Amino acid sequence: MSSATTPQPIRVALVGATGKMGRYAIDAISNADDMDLVATLSSKNPLEDITEAQATHVLDLSVPDISPDVVAFAVDNGLHTVVGTSGWTEDKRTALASQLANHPEIGVLIAPNFSIGSVLATRFAAQAAPYFDSVEIIEMHHPHKLDAPSGTAVRTAEMIATARHNAGVGASPDATKHDPDHARGAQVDGVHVHAVRLAGLEAHQEVLLGTPGQQLVLRHDAFDRTSYMPGVLLGLRTVASRPGLAYGLDEYLDLD
Amino acid sequence: MSSATTPQPIRVALVGATGKMGRYAIDAISNADDMDLVATLSSKNPLEDITEAQATHVLDLSVPDISPDVVAFAVDNGLHTVVGTSGWTEDKRTALASQLANHPEIGVLIAPNFSIGSVLATRFAAQAAPYFDSVEIIEMHHPHKLDAPSGTAVRTAEMIATARHNAGVGASPDATKHDPDHARGAQVDGVHVHAVRLAGLEAHQEVLLGTPGQQLVLRHDAFDRTSYMPGVLLGLRTVASRPGLAYGLDEYLDLD
Amino acid sequence: MSSATTPQPIRVALVGATGKMGRYAIDAISNADDMDLVATLSSKNPLEDITEAQATHVLDLSVPDISPDVVAFAVDNGLHTVVGTSGWTEDKRTALASQLANHPEIGVLIAPNFSIGSVLATRFAAQAAPYFDSVEIIEMHHPHKLDAPSGTAVRTAEMIATARHNAGVGASPDATKHDPDHARGAQVDGVHVHAVRLAGLEAHQEVLLGTPGQQLVLRHDAFDRTSYMPGVLLGLRTVASRPGLAYGLDEYLDLD
Amino acid sequence: MSSATTPQPIRVALVGATGKMGRYAIDAISNADDMDLVATLSSKNPLEDITEAQATHVLDLSVPDISPDVVAFAVDNGLHTVVGTSGWTEDKRTALASQLANHPEIGVLIAPNFSIGSVLATRFAAQAAPYFDSVEIIEMHHPHKLDAPSGTAVRTAEMIATARHNAGVGASPDATKHDPDHARGAQVDGVHVHAVRLAGLEAHQEVLLGTPGQQLVLRHDAFDRTSYMPGVLLGLRTVASRPGLAYGLDEYLDLD
């Protein structure tokens, strides 16, 4: 790609710089040739630090209580925004979409999961699910995790269930009559989900799809948090060209 | 789905009834509520047996030398045709497309692989490949197989290479300096392909995609030839609504 | 191996010839060069058919109600016996051992599982378990199975728990606080066991062992019942040289 | 475990403290309740630092050129020694054994691999190999590795080949007639070995064992170098009770 002029770097203000994800993001943005990290904010900094630093983009990795204020401030100031904070319920997203209607040139991406591989695996699982009699999910995580099953497994099960329902596919066959100790695991929208907790692991998921004579297995392994950074950078590079609100990194992937 | 009238069954003439795939297809069609198997032809039967039986569809599972004649006869007689025979080179497909131009209502599907799971895995691999630094393929088959790597692995590698090229992605990183015995396997369009031959296995393939911090694995297992039958039936049920020539079962899958 | 005289073939009487396992055993024994299948008994045949056929070995694949009588008859008549029938409780095995004390030259093998791979995987799991912080089991079967978890998974968990207890190893770490739908599966002697039911599968099991920085996975796949036959033949070939009662095929494996 | 007197801590001198493994070892020993790290030596330190610090044990993680001198010094001074440095050929081990004959109370462990999981997987593979028709190895590493296949894969193949040879088992079946690009990988003592290089991975190995109807898979994943530390600590805790030279961590594992 030859060009007479070098494109302007993306000027990123990072909110939530002292959290775990924030520290990885500082490294990732600093190492990206096409980005400048112009401000890093923790809970002690006023949001005006963003505008004073003449940022063009905001990366919000703060906490659920603060995130709506960060994004509202960014949009009001005409800054494209990528959000990795959780807690963006449908109500909050609707309110944000209303605000964005007054800023038709501004893009916001809210991504529950920045791992491109995980996002692809979930999408593929939902696409494939109507073509198989059976689908089950096994998620595997480090033993310090408090909840079972994982949020990603729940979302994957929901997307699978919706895809099967829309295609008119019935429940997976299951003749189990005797399971006194719940070996068959949880059911999320009718999809069985199993949660393994194992020292040495980080975050892994397998979707098993079976039909007579064959099996399709979609497995994703996240070995550490660096796995989220390519998705964060992809979001920052793409958000300015996608005005309005996008929910989920898969809206930015080219999967035709 | 209620309806005043039951739809007419699909009247299938099977060519190549005495081969391995043919015998499985007899069972599969006989067990399908919406199909009648009205003729089964081996190499000893004249093609006129198809029309005498008033077939509406032809399933061709014959041999490469005969298949073009079977399909030409079917199209001339206004019959929708599903083809599982190999050997349909680009030249032969071009000739068939010319013939089909004179029969605009007739559909033909030529499918190099009827396993829905395998077709999906290959498609997903090509879609995901541009988002990962590294991609390699491991195919695993029974030890009676004569060729390495498998045709499916070669096609998968070609599709991956095309997708990466189109997205401007370079070669997978590889610092190997010393590999005197070819442990790194074959390269197909720059994609490393490994072939395992193991007693007890039938036909299996893994595509490994890796990038810092994460891995995506797409695995397909075909335990026996029944795994091809759902794809054959899907082809027969869909071909009448898809005039013209389709190459590859994935053209019939709903993957938006 | 050259020899002036060919060894006498093993003369096998098969009890339970009409069951699923029995039909596979007929094929396996008939194809073994060193064995003659001299009698096949169903529930309609008197046990005297065994001695009339001058069998030297009995293979019992009958049903739990009949099996003790079959074995008692065989031992009384001086025949080495391999048993694949379930239901041999500790009480019944103790009674059989008493009977065998009067026939010191006779060998009997009772094998809950004839799959050599499965037996090895379970043994390896128990050996490795004390060296890892965490152990969990995932068993995967066809969806027609009535019970969860599988008997093999239960035995594997029990052997793992015993090995860890004997080595003074504590429970696997698990911070789970919130699991309302039992995604964490069953616990057998403190070992988490997960049961997957999937069309296309037959009988599969994974033991996952993890400790900081590493994972060991022991996986066994039984694709069909032919997988039991090498173990049956190994039992028949070995039992005459192992007087007394052996419980479990692993007693016949050379694993030093 | 109550006791009137606390056992004396193991006083460890670490040689090779500035290498990658050395830095992990400093953490591991410092965190072990039963050990004191009394000296850390780099290439600039004289070996006398070991004795001045009144070490009881030496952990040698230096380089091949230096390691024999380190061990000779330690043995001469009556110190038990654990060695993780490579390059200990059979000649060098023979010379060391001669020296140890004069110090009958001193133990030395030379371990080519300190990963307990990897050592177990290799051992299990060799034990299982005679019971399966086919065995192949797939090793998977980060793409910065210079050699293919890995040293661990070569050792695993050699141990498998020896075990099969000793049991009188022939070659794995393989009908491959056409493999122009070496998709079947390397052969080490007749065992096929495949080497994958993938971004995101660290060090992984699968041994696939197959026989009609079944498969056994032994997989080990080393996610990072912390995986070696439990083996290092096990070596330090055990070496004083095992006089003489041990080669391979498996000699210290309790696997009856």
Side-chain angles (χ1 to χ4, degrees), chain C:
Chain C
M1 192 169 63
S2 68
S3 166
T5 57
T6 302
Q8 292 296 315
I10 298 171
R11 298 177 59 82
V12 182
L14 168 61
V15 185
T18 54
K20 281 185 191 172
M21 279 282 282
R23 291 196 299 265
Y24 280 96
I26 289 173
D27 277 357
I29 296 168
S30 302
N31 289 326
D33 290 340
D34 56 345
M35 298 188 191
D36 285 342
L37 183 61
V38 297
T40 57
L41 288 75
S42 74
S43 59
K44 298 175 183 164
N45 297 88
L47 291 176
E48 285 72 23
D49 285 6
I50 297 171
T51 42
E52 279 178 22
Q54 297 188 290
T56 58
H57 289 61
V58 172
L59 174 59
D60 173 36
L61 302 174
S62 64
V63 293
D65 282 356
I66 293 174
S67 184
D69 291 341
V70 173
V71 180
F73 177 89
V75 171
D76 274 340
N77 285 279
L79 307 181
H80 305 292
T81 304
V82 172
V83 182
T85 312
S86 62
W88 278 87
T89 57
E90 197 167 345
D91 281 358
K92 291 179 181 171
R93 300 199 306 269
T94 303
L96 174 58
S98 297
Q99 185 192 6
L100 280 166
N102 298 324
H103 302 268
E105 79 286 7
I106 300 300
V108 175
L109 168 67
I110 299 176
N113 190 339
F114 274 115
S115 165
I116 292 177
S118 175
V119 167
L120 289 173
T122 297
R123 182 187 162 98
F124 294 158
Q127 287 183 321
Y131 295 101
F132 290 83
D133 287 0
S134 305
V135 190
E136 302 209 1
I137 299 171
I138 306 171
E139 55 95 333
M140 293 155 276
H141 284 81
H142 57 79
H144 311 299
K145 192 169 180 63
L146 300 179
D147 294 338
S150 70
T152 296
V154 170
R155 274 191 299 277
T156 306
E158 289 169 351
M159 288 176 63
I160 287 169
T162 299
R164 287 170 71 90
H165 179 264
N166 290 346
V169 177
S172 299
D174 185 358
T176 307
K177 284 277 180 296
H178 184 73
D179 179 20
D181 300 318
H182 305 286
R184 294 284 289 119
Q187 287 197 50
V188 176
D189 286 5
V191 178
H192 282 266
V193 179
H194 311 270
V196 172
R197 298 293 172 263
L198 205 80
L201 295 186
E202 184 61 28
H204 313 253
Q205 183 169 299
E206 278 188 2
V207 179
L208 310 183
L209 303 110
T211 212
Q214 64 177 308
Q215 184 186 217
L216 177 66
V217 180
L218 307 171
R219 178 180 178 113
H220 182 255
D221 298 284
F223 300 118
D224 60 49
R225 283 166 199 263
T226 61
S227 63
Y228 302 121
M229 292 307 118
V232 168
L233 298 183
L234 176 70
L236 288 168
R237 285 175 182 134
T238 309
V239 64
S241 63
R242 303 285 182 106
L245 176 59
Y247 185 64
L249 186 62
D250 48 338
E251 296 197 21
Y252 283 18
L253 301 179
D254 181 15
L255 297 172
D256 294 337

Side-chain angles (χ1 to χ4, degrees), chain B residues 172-213:
Chain B
S172 298
D174 185 359
T176 307
K177 284 276 180 295
H178 184 73
D179 179 20
D181 298 317
H182 305 288
R184 293 283 290 119
Q187 286 197 51
V188 177
D189 287 5
V191 178
H192 282 266
V193 179
H194 310 270
V196 172
R197 298 293 173 261
L198 205 79
L201 294 186
E202 183 61 29
H204 313 253
Q205 183 170 296
E206 278 188 2
V207 180
L208 309 184
L209 303 111
T211 212

